[in-house]
Amino acid sequence: MILQARVKLHPAQRAFLKSEALYRGFVGGIGSGKSWAGAYDLLRRSQPGHLYMVAAPTYPMLRDATLRSFLERARELHLLESFRSGDMVARLSTGAEVLFRSADDPEPLIAMGRVVGQIAREPAGSNGFGFDPVMWIPEFGQ
């Protein structure tokens, strides 16, 4: 089943959704469409069997904006298989799972990792976030 909907996007939302950067961010005020764009983007890009995490600075923000918007989009697109409120995990019909976490309790968010890359001599690329323009990661070709 293919679902289609016509939505008028703000230019910042359009740029965010078009970006192919590995790490991206969307910054804006209350009502700017961050939660909508983030939820739609995750649902659109989620891969079968993969695990994802959505985090918000506070639990009330997670509950009242981020999670609400995600569940609304997932239901609209018929992608929500289940949501377990006890452990804040959504399972999508694709088999992907999404964990919802708050920075109020940072312990579940702490992780260590390593990215091997090269520092570029000058910035290149656009629509990225953070160090994207100055770091080249050969494995990802960006």
Side-chain angles (χ1 to χ4, degrees):
M1 172 170 51
I2 297 174
L3 299 173
Q4 292 184 350
R6 189 171 292 271
V7 178
K8 184 172 179 161
L9 297 174
H10 183 277
Q13 289 175 311
R14 187 175 298 107
F16 176 79
L17 292 171
K18 283 181 137 184
S19 173
E20 293 297 325
L22 181 60
Y23 300 105
R24 297 171 297 135
F26 187 151
V27 179
I30 294 172
S32 65
K34 299 180 302 294
S35 294
W36 188 97
Y40 178 75
D41 191 57
L42 175 57
L43 289 164
R44 176 172 70 112
R45 293 176 187 249
S46 64
Q47 297 293 311
H50 286 216
L51 180 64
Y52 300 90
M53 182 175 73
V54 174
T58 65
Y59 179 76
M61 188 181 291
L62 178 71
R63 178 195 64 219
D64 298 341
T66 311
L67 177 60
R68 181 177 296 204
S69 187
F70 178 86
L71 293 175
E72 287 172 1
R73 296 299 77 69
R75 287 181 182 118
E76 285 173 359
L77 297 170
H78 303 282
L79 292 173
L80 184 66
E81 183 176 295
S82 65
F83 177 70
R84 299 188 313 258
S85 59
D87 57 358
M88 301 287 282
V89 176
R91 181 159 180 83
L92 303 179
S93 59
T94 63
E97 286 190 326
V98 183
L99 310 176
F100 291 86
R101 299 295 182 258
S102 161
D104 282 341
D105 179 11
E107 191 61 35
L109 301 177
I110 297 171
M112 293 183 70
R114 186 171 104 181
V115 175
V116 178
Q118 303 165 357
I119 303 298
R121 294 190 187 274
E122 55 188 59
S126 61
N127 294 327
F129 180 76
F131 296 103
D132 283 1
V134 294
M135 185 161 185
W136 172 258
I137 304 173
E139 176 183 355
F140 297 110
Q142 57 185 25

